[in-house]
Amino acid sequence: MTGLDKIVEQIRRDAEEIAERNIQEGKEEARRIRQEGEKNAQRKRRELKESAIRASEERMARLRSAADLLCRKRLLEEKQRLIQEVVQGAKESLYCLPKKEYFDLLIQLVKKYAWKQEGEIKFSSTDFQRMPEGFAQRVQQELPNGAVLRISPQTVEIDGGFVLVYGGVEENCSFQALFESSQELLQDEVQEKLFHSAL
């Protein structure tokens, strides 16, 4: 083997060693990149999974909150409906009272709302026609001192109860007006009886 052949052989061996080293380094770099890629993929999968879980939990919390709100709203609506039903039933029961009890109730209302002065009292045509005998005298007997009420022959368009007239001033004591003026108080009392006593 000549000197030139030796040099060429040495260059070839060196080149093979360099190539082998480069291949090994390339394989090592590829393995490192693959491991880093797998770590990044695992981290990304974990992040995506955690993000999806968080988003799912947030969505569930919003859905629960919306469902709770809807449930409270429907419960409130149902309570209001029941309260109105009870109040309306109480008002309607007044019209169904037996005659004696009905006019006894009117006497109690006259005592409560009469002013201590002279005036007149007007009834619906139905109540005026079915008024028991001696009712006018009974009204006078039950009034507080200083109060005088004359039963007017004129009737008024009301559902039941009466209207007190003092000069130009009228006080509407019809059942409708009394229930409307006491609506909040009645609703509160009915709510207390229906929903707090049940607890």
Side-chain angles (χ1 to χ4, degrees):
M1 191 183 271
T2 63
L4 185 61
D5 288 337
K6 284 183 181 178
I7 292 173
V8 169
E9 183 62 26
Q10 183 62 41
I11 291 172
R12 189 184 59 72
R13 274 198 308 264
D14 288 346
E16 282 177 359
E17 283 177 21
I18 290 171
E20 185 61 33
R21 214 173 25 246
N22 284 344
I23 288 171
Q24 288 304 319
E25 287 174 2
K27 284 180 180 178
E28 193 59 41
E29 179 69 13
R31 188 171 57 248
R32 189 186 60 73
I33 289 171
R34 188 174 60 247
Q35 286 174 343
E36 204 172 290
E38 285 174 1
K39 283 180 187 175
N40 285 338
Q42 286 175 351
R43 182 177 47 78
K44 193 68 177 167
R45 273 196 302 272
R46 192 171 53 250
E47 287 172 359
L48 287 172
K49 183 178 178 182
E50 288 169 359
S51 175
I53 289 171
R54 271 194 313 274
S56 174
E57 287 171 348
E58 288 169 5
R59 180 170 165 72
M60 285 301 292
R62 283 193 306 273
L63 288 172
R64 269 192 217 99
S65 177
D68 287 347
L69 184 63
L70 182 62
C71 187
R72 285 193 306 273
K73 181 180 177 227
R74 288 197 176 149
L75 182 62
L76 181 62
E77 287 171 354
E78 185 60 19
K79 281 182 175 182
Q80 287 297 327
R81 187 190 67 73
L82 287 172
I83 289 168
Q84 289 301 324
E85 195 175 286
V86 169
V87 170
Q88 185 63 30
K91 187 171 88 171
E92 289 172 7
S93 72
L94 296 178
Y95 308 122
C96 301
L97 285 173
K99 184 176 172 179
K100 181 184 180 329
E101 290 178 33
Y102 180 86
F103 282 95
D104 286 348
L105 173 64
L106 292 184
I107 290 285
Q108 295 306 312
L109 291 174
V110 167
K111 285 167 52 174
K112 181 174 180 178
Y113 291 102
W115 298 4
K116 291 187 177 181
Q117 65 184 61
E118 244 182 82
E120 65 178 2
I121 183 168
K122 295 180 179 181
F123 293 95
S124 70
S125 59
T126 303
D127 287 349
F128 187 77
Q129 290 171 8
R130 70 182 190 133
M131 193 175 293
E133 197 173 313
F135 184 73
Q137 292 80 12
R138 190 168 164 216
V139 167
Q140 293 309 316
Q141 291 169 355
E142 298 285 343
L143 287 173
N145 289 335
V148 176
L149 284 175
R150 181 179 56 81
I151 294 180
S152 172
Q154 292 180 321
T155 59
V156 286
E157 293 289 322
I158 57 174
D159 57 348
F162 50 86
V163 174
L164 296 173
V165 183
Y166 295 98
V169 179
E170 289 189 357
E171 183 167 358
N172 187 346
C173 296
S174 67
F175 293 153
Q176 182 68 33
L178 294 175
F179 270 82
E180 285 175 5
S181 68
S182 303
Q183 185 166 355
E184 283 186 28
L185 179 63
L186 288 169
Q187 287 179 344
D188 290 346
E189 286 181 14
V190 170
Q191 180 172 336
E192 179 71 28
K193 296 254 189 288
L194 284 180
F195 303 112
H196 289 96
S197 61
L199 296 179

